Amino acid sequence: MKAILIVCDGLGDRPIKELGGKTPLEGAKTPNLDRLAREGICGLVHTLGVGLRPGSDTSHLALFGYDPGVYYHGRGPFEAAGIGMDLKPGDVALRGNMGTVDEKLVVLDRRAGRIRDTSPYAKALDGMVIDNIKFEVKPGTGHRVGVVMRGRGLSSRISDPDPHEIGVRVHEARPLDGTRDAKFTAVVLNKFLEESHLILKELKANEQRVKEGSPPGNYLLIRGAGYVAEIPSFEERYGLKAACIAGAGLYKGVARLLGMDVIKVEGATGLPDTNVEAKFRTAVKALKQYDFIFIHVKGADSLGEDGNYKGKKEFIEKIDKAAKTLLGLKDTFIVITADHSTPCALKMHSGDPVPLLINGPGVRVDEVREYGERNCMKGGLGHIRGLDLMPELVNLMGRARLIGA
Ligand code: ZN
């Protein structure tokens, strides 16, 4: 038995007047998703719990069966892992931008003119050691960078050095609790940022930028410090060899931290123009080598945050077209859900539960005829928490451990 889990980011929504009182998912033409629902079992998922507003990182952890209360200590590690940085328990990771500051360290541009490639900047800073803490710096996409601190006595309980706005001076990292580790981490990070600024100011790549009239990348604006905890791998936990197909870094990062392989797909961009069909086709092929494939599809979330209900509906139709590839697979469970709702009316994540369908051999097919928020309400799985999804799936796959004798 194999499984494909498709997480349509931000899929859930609320009724929209302009769509005749339907949600984008309910209003979309989705013959393939409807068929999977009709021949499967459905329900609603409260990814973090009833009424809780999930972040994308915490809700993915929950969907994979990892309690965010235990395993989540900030976003940085997921972003760093997502750009291919190897992390060890005890590390503190941050994410950020190459930014531009003036002589008084006032932020002029948070993305240094949307600098294209931060490689020469990251390379100049990578490997620095301060007070026995080693700093790894790696380029992300575009203006982004990842920073990993490695050594003894680190804490993620520090404030963001990135002031998150222009026209103000960069912040110093401050400890957020009274522990020695938090104080030490803040002090070392501030020394690193100061030293980095001196190096970046003199960098050749910046000389060139200034000549061209572009803002130089002369300061690391970093945020989201996160502690890397011991985390049992997905395979250890479920005995399933797993891989991830995603465009955006954060989701690859979650998968990598759980020990999943990351499969590259041409045209998987993490944007609404992403090639959903290529992702689904790649997943089906990868089932030869893997037991479990996690596919992340981002578009619906971004469109929800723009309040673009028409675009969201059309994007859902694009997912549906691609889902044709998933029909009729033998000995395979197809699970389609979301990490949270992103209602177009709110333009942000909400705590509304998300639709879930599980299609596969032997499921107790319920009365749900179409895939949608309110149809799934009537499904046989009822309301479950994100943390319940993997146990449910593993049981359906016939792999659940016997409790008792
Ligand atoms: Zn999300």
Side-chain angles (χ1 to χ4, degrees):
M1 288 292 168
K2 310 250 168 168
I4 298 178
L5 166 65
I6 300 163
V7 179
C8 305
D9 207 299
L11 176 67
D13 213 298
R14 294 179 178 180
I16 293 168
K17 209 169 82 200
E18 291 84 348
L19 295 178
K22 293 183 170 179
T23 68
L25 175 59
E26 290 167 351
K29 273 208 186 71
T30 53
N32 297 310
L33 297 177
D34 293 345
R35 182 174 153 194
L36 287 165
R38 199 158 54 236
E39 297 171 359
I41 184 166
C42 296
L44 285 178
V45 189
H46 301 260
T47 45
L48 295 189
V50 174
L52 300 181
R53 256 186 83 209
S56 289
D57 40 17
T58 48
S59 55
H60 274 77
L61 279 177
L63 288 173
F64 293 132
Y66 291 77
D67 187 344
V70 176
Y71 296 108
Y72 185 78
H73 306 278
R75 182 163 179 150
F78 302 100
E79 295 280 355
I83 59 171
M85 300 182 82
D86 287 315
L87 299 165
K88 297 190 172 74
D91 289 352
V92 164
L94 300 100
R95 66 195 181 110
N97 309 341
M98 282 310 310
T100 308
V101 298
D102 67 11
E103 316 81 68
K104 288 182 179 139
L105 300 184
V106 170
V107 180
L108 300 175
D109 188 325
R110 292 198 62 243
R111 302 183 186 93
R114 286 203 176 268
I115 209 161
R116 283 271 175 80
D117 176 15
T118 56
S119 308
Y121 303 83
K123 203 172 156 204
L125 308 177
D126 189 35
M128 205 189 293
V129 178
I130 297 169
D131 297 342
N132 288 321
I133 300 299
K134 187 176 174 196
F135 286 82
E136 285 185 8
V137 186
K138 292 280 182 289
T141 46
H143 52 271
R144 298 182 187 88
V145 289
V147 175
V148 171
M149 305 174 72
R150 180 164 300 148
R152 290 169 70 101
L154 293 173
S155 163
S156 59
R157 300 283 301 141
I158 54 165
S159 63
D160 287 349
D162 178 359
H164 297 264
E165 56 182 326
I166 56 168
V168 297
R169 195 179 184 280
V170 297
H171 293 173
E172 288 204 325
R174 280 177 294 101
L176 293 177
D177 61 29
T179 61
R180 226 169 73 184
D181 289 357
K183 279 183 211 153
F184 171 68
T185 307
V187 168
V188 179
L189 184 60
N190 290 331
K191 285 187 192 170
F192 166 75
L193 290 174
E194 203 173 303
E195 182 66 30
S196 295
H197 178 52
L198 297 178
I199 294 170
L200 292 170
K201 270 204 299 195
E202 307 300 325
L203 205 67
K204 263 252 146 55
N206 275 331
E207 257 175 52
Q208 190 58 36
R209 284 186 73 78
V210 173
K211 240 185 248 167
E212 289 165 4
S214 306
N218 60 14
Y219 205 91
L220 280 175
L221 295 171
I222 52 175
R223 58 191 175 272
Y227 184 79
V228 181
E230 283 290 350
I231 192 160
S233 77
F234 192 83
E235 191 170 350
E236 272 171 65
R237 231 170 164 171
Y238 305 113
L240 299 170
K241 194 168 156 40
C244 152
I245 295 175
L250 179 67
Y251 312 94
K252 292 186 228 180
V254 176
R256 282 193 82 223
L257 278 177
L258 301 183
M260 294 184 195
D261 288 343
V262 174
I263 301 174
K264 257 206 178 144
V265 176
E266 219 46 63
T269 57
L271 301 168
D273 72 353
T274 194
N275 190 342
V276 185
E277 203 176 325
K279 283 169 147 177
F280 288 6
R281 255 187 284 125
T282 306
V284 172
K285 265 192 223 147
L287 284 176
K288 285 201 186 84
Q289 292 167 60
Y290 296 97
D291 307 309
F292 179 96
I293 313 283
F294 152 55
I295 308 175
H296 179 265
V297 184
K298 178 79 179 164
D301 176 58
S302 325
L303 293 161
E305 284 190 339
D306 293 343
N308 182 354
Y309 56 87
K310 200 162 157 263
K312 189 169 173 181
K313 183 178 131 218
E314 280 161 13
F315 186 75
I316 293 167
E317 288 172 347
K318 181 172 166 177
I319 298 176
D320 181 78
K321 269 209 185 97
K324 200 159 190 218
T325 325
L326 307 171
L327 301 177
L329 295 177
K330 281 237 158 60
D331 298 331
T332 305
F333 287 87
I334 306 290
V335 184
I336 303 180
T337 190
D339 54 346
H340 51 77
S341 296
T342 306
C344 292
L346 300 181
K347 298 187 178 179
M348 61 179 192
H349 298 189
S350 80
D352 305 62
V354 294
L356 163 69
L357 80 79
I358 303 181
N359 180 297
V363 302
R364 294 169 175 167
V365 175
D366 59 21
E367 303 299 314
V368 176
R369 318 301 296 163
E370 283 174 32
Y371 188 56
E373 290 88 340
R374 278 171 287 188
N375 279 307
C376 285
M377 253 178 217
K378 299 176 258 173
L381 289 166
H383 287 244
I384 66 171
R385 298 174 308 158
L387 283 174
D388 299 324
L389 179 64
M390 279 310 296
E392 182 65 52
L393 180 61
V394 167
N395 170 60
L396 287 171
M397 293 170 84
R399 307 181 69 122
R401 215 178 293 136
L402 181 68
I403 298 167

